[in-house]
Amino acid sequence: MAWKRFLAWAGVLSTLAFGGTAVLAEETPQAPAPEGQPAEPAKAEESSKPRFWGDRFALYIAVAGGGAWSERTIDSSITTSGNSVSKSELDLQDVLHGRFTVGWQLPANRGHLLLSVNGFREDSYVFSAFGLSSWAVESIDEDGSLNASAYDELLRWWRVRATDGRLKSTYTIPLLVNGSILYDVEDPRTYAQREGATAVDLQNEMQTWDAFYQREFGGRRWSARWSAGGRYFLYEGTVPAAAWLNDGDKFGYGYTDGVGLRLLPLKQKSSGMGPTASLEAQFHLFRDHVVLYGQGRIALIYESLEVDSGPFFTLVDPQDGVVLAEARVLEDRVKTAWHVTAEVGARIRILQGVTAEIGYGQSSFQDSVLVPTEFFIPQVATDVEGGTSILYNTRDLLFGVVHAGLSFQF
């Protein structure tokens, strides 16, 4: 019958149609995602990657403290003439040292972003100076006048020492007896000692602010750590100096012994910025419970330096009597300078994320102090209006440092 044949063909065609659609659905590849949008599997992979800052609280904090001292004294010697030289130096014996570091540990061992602040502050100092002159006394008149002649080397006339707020100056006349130099401390005409008060604290302070990226590499026994970033440097304080304030033709007077004539207070300020980098080698012991390390850090600083003593006077000796010439140690300079630090020590893991550290190192801050080195005092009264000319040079700060501290990795 016609209608039965129609139903049979309809069933066959329906079967083929639905079956073909199923086959096409299995064999036809998925249409590509629109441009700029990842496919579904890529979304899943991306969601498994950690974010840049990570998915956990990874704050790092380290604090350390200790002491430091001058490995090299600060030379503030001043030459006034070939006949008169003052040798003086400042020794920062006890310096307080502190270090604070804060940062964040990046996920997937991608290192740390850190800010580290180092501070140094003078706690006590010793200043010493010697007033040297090439004049030797041959005889002393009854009125106390000195008869002197030039000697072939510089001789000590003054000695100054200042520490803990007290100053002691000693005046000793070199006597030329039978071709030899003698110092007679029993004769009040040739020997005198005076004491006075001086500054307890010279307020020498220094800071370095380092912002850097740090990362480790290496194996289980030996590893290394490097860092790179920038440094800000600041130093402020006072460096005393002693000097002959006469032109050298008159002997025995005009020396800044701290009692009769005050010492020259050279107020300092140095600051600058520049790149810094470090490299550290590590040796691991006892399954990383103890790590021995040696570290070197270097920085190149573009800095400005200033020094100011305040006004004072030098002594000019024209024929008609002593004349005063104005003087002031006042100078500023701009230059580049190197900072170099070497350190060795050990880190001991106390708890998971808590580490103790002890270390010793040396830190050199080159060309950080600006001091006068030579005075040119007018020789005649007509030159007094021009004042005293002064030459300058820079000095380094070199500290030995010991520290102990704790670090916390949250």
Side-chain angles (χ1 to χ4, degrees), residues 129-209:
F130 295 90
L132 308 177
S133 176
S134 61
W135 294 103
V137 174
E138 296 177 328
S139 62
I140 304 176
D141 296 338
E142 293 183 358
D143 61 357
S145 300
L146 304 178
N147 301 309
S149 62
Y151 197 67
D152 57 1
E153 64 181 68
L154 293 172
L155 305 173
R156 187 187 77 242
W157 283 70
W158 288 93
R159 179 169 52 193
V160 180
R161 179 181 173 86
T163 183
D164 297 330
R166 300 300 301 172
L167 180 144
K168 179 184 292 186
S169 68
T170 304
Y171 176 64
T172 48
I173 294 178
L175 299 174
L176 183 61
V177 180
N178 298 326
S180 299
I181 298 297
L182 300 177
Y183 291 95
D184 188 356
V185 298
E186 302 295 334
D187 190 341
R189 299 177 303 169
T190 63
Y191 175 83
Q193 192 172 82
R194 298 184 291 185
E195 295 188 8
T198 187
V200 178
D201 185 0
L202 297 178
Q203 299 180 347
N204 286 286
E205 298 181 354
M206 188 178 61
Q207 301 175 14
T208 61
W209 294 68

Side-chain angles (χ1 to χ4, degrees), residues 1 14 21 25 27 35 49 56 82 105 108 119 126 137 157-158 165 168 170 235 252 258 307 309 337 363 398 405 408:
M1 297 174 64
S14 300
T21 302
E27 295 181 357
E35 184 176 355
K49 293 182 179 179
R56 67 181 184 87
Q105 183 182 32
V126 174
V137 174
W157 283 70
W158 288 93
K168 179 184 292 186
T170 304
Y235 162 67
V307 60
S309 67
S363 295
L398 177 60
F408 305 87

Side-chain angles (χ1 to χ4, degrees), residues 347-390:
R347 300 187 182 101
I348 304 170
R349 189 173 67 187
I350 301 175
L351 299 171
Q352 185 65 34
V354 181
T355 303
E357 178 179 298
I358 56 174
Y360 163 77
Q362 288 191 351
S363 295
S364 174
F365 305 91
Q366 299 178 9
D367 299 323
S368 298
V369 180
L370 185 60
V371 296
T373 58
E374 194 164 355
F375 287 174
F376 295 94
I377 299 175
Q379 298 296 304
V380 295
T382 55
D383 295 336
V384 167
E385 291 185 2
T388 301
S389 300
I390 302 175

Side-chain angles (χ1 to χ4, degrees), residues 9-240:
W9 282 107
V12 172
L13 292 174
S14 300
T15 302
L16 291 175
F18 285 105
T21 302
V23 172
L24 289 174
E26 293 178 357
E27 295 181 357
T28 303
Q30 183 180 358
E35 184 176 355
Q37 297 183 11
E40 292 300 328
K43 289 182 180 180
E45 291 179 3
E46 182 178 334
S47 63
S48 65
K49 293 182 179 179
R51 293 178 296 176
F52 178 81
W53 298 106
D55 299 322
R56 67 181 184 87
F57 186 72
L59 182 68
Y60 175 82
I61 295 178
V63 292
W69 58 92
S70 293
E71 290 282 4
R72 182 187 304 146
T73 58
I74 302 173
D75 184 1
S76 57
S77 301
I78 298 174
T79 298
T80 302
S81 70
N83 295 327
S84 302
V85 175
S86 176
K87 296 289 186 181
S88 54
E89 61 183 17
L90 175 65
D91 184 7
L92 303 178
Q93 290 192 327
D94 296 320
V95 178
L96 302 178
H97 168 61
R99 178 190 301 170
F100 176 73
T101 304
V102 62
W104 193 267
Q105 183 182 32
L106 300 176
N109 295 321
R110 292 204 299 262
H112 284 79
L113 294 174
L114 298 171
L115 173 65
S116 182
V117 182
N118 278 268
F120 297 84
R121 192 185 192 286
E122 160 219 328
D123 191 44
S124 68
Y125 71 93
V126 174
F127 172 77
S128 59
F130 295 90
L132 308 177
S133 176
S134 61
W135 294 103
V137 174
E138 296 177 328
S139 62
I140 304 176
D141 296 338
E142 293 183 358
D143 61 357
S145 300
L146 304 178
N147 301 309
S149 62
Y151 197 67
D152 57 1
E153 64 181 68
L154 293 172
L155 305 173
R156 187 187 77 242
W157 283 70
W158 288 93
R159 179 169 52 193
V160 180
R161 179 181 173 86
T163 183
D164 297 330
R166 300 300 301 172
L167 180 144
K168 179 184 292 186
S169 68
T170 304
Y171 176 64
T172 48
I173 294 178
L175 299 174
L176 183 61
V177 180
N178 298 326
S180 299
I181 298 297
L182 300 177
Y183 291 95
D184 188 356
V185 298
E186 302 295 334
D187 190 341
R189 299 177 303 169
T190 63
Y191 175 83
Q193 192 172 82
R194 298 184 291 185
E195 295 188 8
T198 187
V200 178
D201 185 0
L202 297 178
Q203 299 180 347
N204 286 286
E205 298 181 354
M206 188 178 61
Q207 301 175 14
T208 61
W209 294 68
D210 296 337
F212 55 92
Y213 171 73
Q214 176 181 279
R215 190 162 185 174
E216 296 187 8
F217 62 93
R220 298 180 59 184
R221 179 65 68 177
W222 288 94
S223 65
R225 173 188 292 175
W226 65 269
S227 73
R231 165 172 290 187
Y232 172 74
F233 166 73
L234 175 64
Y235 162 67
E236 293 181 309
T238 302
V239 175

Side-chain angles (χ1 to χ4, degrees), residues 183-403:
Y183 291 95
D184 188 356
V185 298
E186 302 295 334
D187 190 341
R189 299 177 303 169
T190 63
Y191 175 83
Q193 192 172 82
R194 298 184 291 185
E195 295 188 8
T198 187
V200 178
D201 185 0
L202 297 178
Q203 299 180 347
N204 286 286
E205 298 181 354
M206 188 178 61
Q207 301 175 14
T208 61
W209 294 68
D210 296 337
F212 55 92
Y213 171 73
Q214 176 181 279
R215 190 162 185 174
E216 296 187 8
F217 62 93
R220 298 180 59 184
R221 179 65 68 177
W222 288 94
S223 65
R225 173 188 292 175
W226 65 269
S227 73
R231 165 172 290 187
Y232 172 74
F233 166 73
L234 175 64
Y235 162 67
E236 293 181 309
T238 302
V239 175
W244 290 98
L245 300 184
N246 62 44
D247 61 4
D249 292 334
K250 300 295 181 180
F251 47 87
Y253 76 96
Y255 186 73
T256 58
D257 68 318
V259 180
L261 291 173
R262 70 182 180 94
L263 298 173
L264 302 179
L266 307 178
K267 186 172 178 57
Q268 304 282 330
K269 183 176 181 180
S270 303
S271 62
M273 300 178 65
T276 182
S278 71
L279 183 63
E280 177 179 299
Q282 301 175 346
F283 181 63
H284 301 257
L285 297 171
F286 309 113
R287 297 182 179 180
D288 284 347
H289 281 80
V290 177
V291 177
L292 306 180
Y293 72 91
Q295 181 189 94
R297 176 172 291 278
I298 191 169
L300 179 60
I301 305 298
Y302 182 76
E303 68 176 356
S304 61
L305 302 92
E306 301 175 7
V307 60
D308 186 4
S309 67
F312 60 96
F313 294 95
T314 55
L315 310 176
V316 183
D317 295 292
Q319 297 296 325
D320 55 352
V322 174
V323 178
L324 300 180
E326 293 184 355
R328 184 171 187 172
V329 176
L330 181 63
E331 179 75 349
D332 60 86
R333 291 186 179 180
V334 176
K335 64 174 302 180
T336 57
W338 291 98
H339 294 178
V340 181
T341 298
E343 182 180 309
V344 295
R347 300 187 182 101
I348 304 170
R349 189 173 67 187
I350 301 175
L351 299 171
Q352 185 65 34
V354 181
T355 303
E357 178 179 298
I358 56 174
Y360 163 77
Q362 288 191 351
S363 295
S364 174
F365 305 91
Q366 299 178 9
D367 299 323
S368 298
V369 180
L370 185 60
V371 296
T373 58
E374 194 164 355
F375 287 174
F376 295 94
I377 299 175
Q379 298 296 304
V380 295
T382 55
D383 295 336
V384 167
E385 291 185 2
T388 301
S389 300
I390 302 175
L391 295 181
Y392 300 86
N393 205 348
T394 57
R395 298 288 186 257
D396 302 339
L397 293 172
L398 177 60
F399 294 112
V401 184
V402 292
H403 75 272

